[in-house]
Amino acid sequence: CTCKSWSDLIGSSGFVSTHLHRNVTKHAHVYLLCLHHPNFERQNDNDDPYDIEELQWSLFSNGTFVQFSNLSHPSENTEHYRIYGSSNGLVCISDEILNFDSPIHIWNPSVRKFRTTPTSTNINIKFSYVALQFGFHPGVDDYKAVRMMRTNKNALAVEVYSLRTDSWKMIEAIPPWLKCTWKNHKDTFFNGVAYHIIEKGPIFSIMSFDSGSEEFEEFIAPDAICGPWGLCIDIYKGQICLLCRYYGCEEDGMEKVDLWVLQEKRWKQLCPFIFPWDEWNVTIGISIDDELLMEIRDFDKGVADLYLCNYESKEVLKTGIKLAVMKYDEIEFFFAITYIQSLVLLNNY
């Protein structure tokens, strides 16, 4: 009788919500989910397209950076997969290179359960570009996946998946300012809103799409941003931020990353991140503790060392984690790290 009552309590939506809110507030049960080579160094011949080495996703402690456990594909698929977002212990995974019919899995590694989203019936044409994002929308108390697809003729389609209803919905109203030629760059997902850096001619802007209200907005990027190189979008102290490593630092032997945050639909520039210069240093985002995430690459070994830079002290910490560096058709993609928060034994489906 006691076990049943405890089971009912732990399985209730109220208990799960309270526990997850506590973990998010206190940054409890946080892990880094990193993609790496099995022995943390590439063993294969990177110039041989037929010599393919298996890569491994593993959990690392956010405090000590010690490897916690390995994660294999929940459906026992041996193909490489990519992580497209995580929220409250749930992880969205799909193919490394997305197609409109790529299978999408919502996975809870702690309880070893996953759900595969149904095949959309809304799509009957092929798309040249597909983007996928996932996260929790607190306003509607639901987990959402947003899939944006574009054809070679610049036709845009947007679909939203609801975990609660286990269904896809096509968004019919596309704003006129998106019905033109534009390039998509980096993206992020925050509080149920998908954000994309887009380039329309010489202008850079941020496109946002609220997966709850299904509304689009556009925020023109600061004038100082004039190219995609070194440009990132992420979350800094609970606000959408832009990171730009384009301009040199006035201090000798130092490098800087300019920082803007979105406040009341306006960009506010903050003091930049400043850290010691390194030729192969690349900015990849902001950590869950609001520190700058950087990697220093070693192309010969096919790895990148992960570093953290503190905003106030300017100190740089080497984590000891070696990420995999991947290359496709001479274009480099770095999808090797994300955070999992509230990784606990709760069935939060």
Side-chain angles (χ1 to χ4, degrees):
C1 293
T2 301
C3 289
K4 185 179 185 304
S5 63
W6 285 4
S7 177
D8 292 341
L9 172 64
I10 293 172
S12 68
S13 59
F15 180 89
V16 171
S17 297
T18 301
H19 195 75
L20 291 176
H21 177 73
R22 174 185 176 274
N23 289 337
V24 170
T25 303
K26 296 188 176 183
H27 284 186
H29 303 286
V30 176
Y31 294 87
L32 291 96
L33 183 53
C34 302
L35 182 66
H36 60 89
H37 298 282
N39 296 317
F40 294 97
E41 289 189 8
R42 188 180 63 220
Q43 305 297 319
N44 67 323
D45 182 1
N46 198 40
D47 295 326
D48 184 355
Y50 298 101
D51 187 8
I52 300 175
E53 182 183 22
E54 293 295 325
L55 298 176
Q56 174 69 54
W57 284 100
S58 294
L59 290 171
F60 293 82
S61 167
N62 185 49
T64 63
F65 309 111
V66 173
Q67 188 174 0
F68 179 70
S69 67
N70 296 335
L71 294 180
S72 56
H73 197 288
S75 66
E76 300 181 355
N77 189 337
T78 59
E79 297 294 326
H80 289 174
Y81 62 93
R82 180 187 165 191
I83 293 171
Y84 290 89
S86 69
S87 184
N88 296 337
L90 296 184
V91 181
C92 177
I93 63 175
S94 188
D95 296 340
E96 276 186 338
I97 300 177
L98 285 173
N99 292 309
F100 73 96
D101 57 352
S102 294
I104 300 172
H105 308 286
I106 311 299
W107 178 28
N108 186 331
S110 63
V111 295
R112 300 183 181 180
K113 292 184 178 181
F114 72 97
R115 178 184 295 179
T116 302
T117 64
T119 302
S120 172
T121 59
N122 298 317
I123 304 299
N124 55 12
I125 59 176
K126 290 186 177 181
F127 291 85
S128 62
Y129 171 81
V130 181
L132 176 64
Q133 294 167 281
F134 169 81
F136 180 71
H137 197 307
V140 296
D141 192 26
D142 193 9
Y143 294 89
K144 300 279 191 176
V146 177
R147 182 165 56 185
M148 295 190 179
M149 299 155 288
R150 195 172 71 243
T151 68
N152 291 327
K153 296 182 179 179
N154 299 317
L156 178 67
V158 179
E159 283 190 304
V160 177
Y161 169 78
S162 164
L163 186 64
R164 179 185 296 164
T165 64
D166 191 29
S167 62
W168 289 95
K169 179 182 179 181
M170 177 67 75
I171 305 303
E172 302 293 343
I174 304 298
W177 50 268
L178 278 175
K179 297 178 180 180
C180 62
T181 302
W182 52 273
K183 295 180 182 179
N184 183 79
H185 295 289
K186 296 184 179 180
D187 55 55
T188 192
F189 196 93
F190 181 57
N191 280 345
V193 182
Y195 295 88
H196 291 257
I197 299 175
I198 62 174
E199 179 182 358
K200 297 189 293 184
I203 299 175
F204 284 82
S205 63
I206 310 305
M207 172 188 66
S208 74
F209 172 74
D210 191 315
S211 60
S213 65
E214 301 175 357
E215 294 179 349
F216 292 87
E217 278 193 272
E218 183 179 24
F219 307 98
I220 303 299
D223 293 338
I225 296 176
C226 54
W229 190 87
L231 182 60
C232 294
I233 184 169
D234 215 317
I235 298 105
Y236 179 72
K237 294 188 176 180
Q239 301 171 99
I240 290 295
C241 74
L242 288 175
L243 300 165
C244 180
R245 186 180 176 181
Y246 187 80
Y247 300 97
C249 184
E250 293 77 12
E251 298 183 36
D252 291 338
M254 304 295 282
E255 188 67 66
K256 75 170 182 176
V257 173
D258 289 306
L259 172 66
W260 292 265
V261 294
L262 189 61
Q263 293 183 347
E264 297 180 351
K265 301 185 178 183
R266 293 177 177 271
W267 294 108
K268 178 182 179 181
Q269 186 168 15
L270 305 182
C271 293
F273 282 93
I274 298 178
F275 49 88
W277 180 85
D278 189 287
E279 182 180 2
W280 300 110
N281 192 310
V282 176
T283 303
I284 57 177
I286 299 289
S287 78
I288 199 167
D289 299 310
D290 296 317
E291 294 182 311
L292 190 67
L293 281 168
M294 304 182 297
E295 59 182 20
I296 296 180
R297 309 168 186 168
D298 185 331
F299 290 103
D300 292 333
K301 295 181 179 179
V303 299
D305 289 298
L306 180 65
Y307 290 80
L308 293 170
C309 175
N310 185 275
Y311 185 69
E312 284 80 16
S313 68
K314 305 179 185 178
E315 293 181 354
V316 176
L317 172 66
K318 183 177 181 179
T319 65
I321 298 175
K322 292 182 179 291
L323 307 175
V325 175
M326 297 171 291
K327 224 176 193 183
Y328 302 105
D329 299 327
E330 301 304 317
I331 301 176
E332 294 170 6
F333 296 88
F334 297 90
F335 308 135
I337 180 172
T338 189
Y339 281 87
I340 295 185
Q341 194 164 4
S342 301
L343 187 62
V344 291
L345 293 172
L346 287 175
N347 189 1
N348 50 347
Y349 285 105

